[in-house]
Amino acid sequence: MLDSALLADLRAARRVVVFTGAGMSAESGIPTFRDRLTGLWARVDPMEIATPRAFRADPQRVWDWHVHLAEAVRAARPNAGHEAIAVLERARLEVTVVTQNIDNLHQRAGSAKVIELHGNLLRLKSFVDEEAAFAAAAPPVICPVCAGYAVWERCDPWAERADLRVIELRAGRVPRCPGCGALLRPDVVWFGEPLAVEMLEAAWNAVEECDALISVGASLEVEPAASLPWRALHRGARVIEVNPAPTALAAHCHASIGAPAAGTLPELFATIWPPL
Ligand SMILES: [Zn+2]
């Protein structure tokens, strides 16, 4: 699968970034954020409902749609690919998972360092109504409970929102932050929203320092995340793509494996970086 020179380079690597996209979750049976849901929600376009505008107009409807998605996420299990990535940490490597997925499956599989570029569906944060904030022209007030800016600006993605952790994305009325009264929403990046700058910086820093990057199930169509594997390549890191539908990266990276992650990563990683 890999020639001996590449294998030697990979074995000398100390810092590894595993970059994962929708294909990784699809193998666990989770629809991508762009896919329509089933049943009652089949007619609803995700790009119409997963937006700040839709939440502002009808928070309950948007909440209910995410509840339906969360049911699929909770019912799913990490697959052999997620597990192989988690096991990598036992091979004396510094592993950073950078994911575009919002389903928490890397953490459930046991990965310790996961940068969630698009957030996490099962975590909540307060909804910041930027239109209202700008209209009020009030200075920012940081809510001590949700750690979000109760009046404007974005929530801090690294905040430890401990008091919100007991509130879950479940059927029922949209909950509110007990501190500031803001409506709560899933901590995901909706259509029309920018990625959290802190997450993107953390991902970028991991790529700047890595010796190898494995891109798994990522279509590399959505910027700025799509640039991460290319940046690693230009820096001189070893780059491997694992994707049943190889992208433009395949022709430029050091190895391209046109296969799903669950059937590939366990053997691939055990060959390159056997657990100690
Ligand atoms: Zn609050």
Side-chain angles (χ1 to χ4, degrees):
M1 199 181 303
L2 307 176
D3 67 47
S4 57
L6 176 56
L7 206 49
D9 286 344
L10 291 167
R11 283 183 177 149
R14 282 293 156 257
R15 293 178 173 146
V16 175
V17 169
V18 185
F19 177 68
T20 68
M24 186 96 223
S25 296
E27 288 183 61
S28 282
I30 296 176
T32 81
F33 205 52
R34 288 166 182 273
D35 288 336
R36 285 170 190 260
L37 301 179
T38 53
L40 289 172
W41 296 101
R43 300 172 74 91
V44 175
D45 180 358
M47 296 185 74
E48 175 265 316
I49 198 162
T51 67
R53 179 189 295 263
F55 192 82
R56 193 177 294 117
D58 189 345
Q60 190 66 55
R61 183 165 175 269
V62 175
W63 178 265
D64 292 347
W65 183 86
H66 286 83
V67 166
H68 194 76
L69 183 59
E71 283 168 5
V73 164
R74 288 196 185 94
R77 294 271 172 277
N79 61 54
H82 292 104
E83 283 158 9
I85 293 167
V87 168
L88 259 194
E89 293 177 14
R90 294 189 222 142
R92 205 182 287 154
L93 290 170
E94 194 180 305
V95 181
T96 304
V97 178
V98 178
T99 187
Q100 296 176 283
N101 301 330
I102 58 172
D103 49 40
N104 211 41
L105 288 184
H106 285 297
Q107 291 92 330
R108 278 174 63 188
S111 285
K113 190 174 177 193
V114 183
I115 298 171
E116 301 165 311
L117 290 175
H118 294 165
N120 188 318
L121 181 70
L122 304 181
R123 192 171 59 224
L124 301 176
K125 66 177 182 179
S126 56
F127 175 68
V128 179
D129 188 337
E130 290 181 1
E131 277 186 16
F134 281 118
V141 176
I142 299 173
C143 167
V145 175
C146 64
Y149 293 88
V151 178
W152 67 348
E153 292 288 330
R154 298 178 54 77
C155 292
D156 175 0
W158 299 110
E160 279 291 312
R161 295 178 282 273
D163 293 319
L164 297 194
R165 252 186 237 144
V166 296
I167 308 175
E168 294 191 320
L169 180 57
R170 300 278 183 191
R173 290 190 59 181
V174 187
R176 289 181 178 273
C177 168
C180 62
L183 288 168
L184 297 184
R185 53 164 282 187
D187 190 358
V188 295
V189 177
W190 280 334
F191 295 103
E193 291 187 309
L195 302 191
V197 172
E198 295 86 347
M199 289 290 175
L200 193 57
E201 275 182 5
W204 202 259
N205 289 340
V207 167
E208 286 295 323
E209 293 176 351
C210 75
D211 306 308
L213 181 146
I214 320 293
S215 179
V216 185
S219 64
L220 306 185
E221 283 167 356
V222 184
E223 291 291 352
S227 294
L228 293 170
W230 290 102
R231 178 59 196 154
L233 199 57
H234 291 149
R235 275 192 52 250
R238 303 297 100 174
V239 176
I240 297 177
E241 177 172 73
V242 177
N243 196 332
T247 68
L249 184 68
H252 301 271
C253 65
H254 299 91
S256 169
I257 300 167
T264 304
L265 296 189
E267 191 191 335
L268 179 70
F269 288 167
T271 303
I272 309 172
W273 298 296
L276 297 176

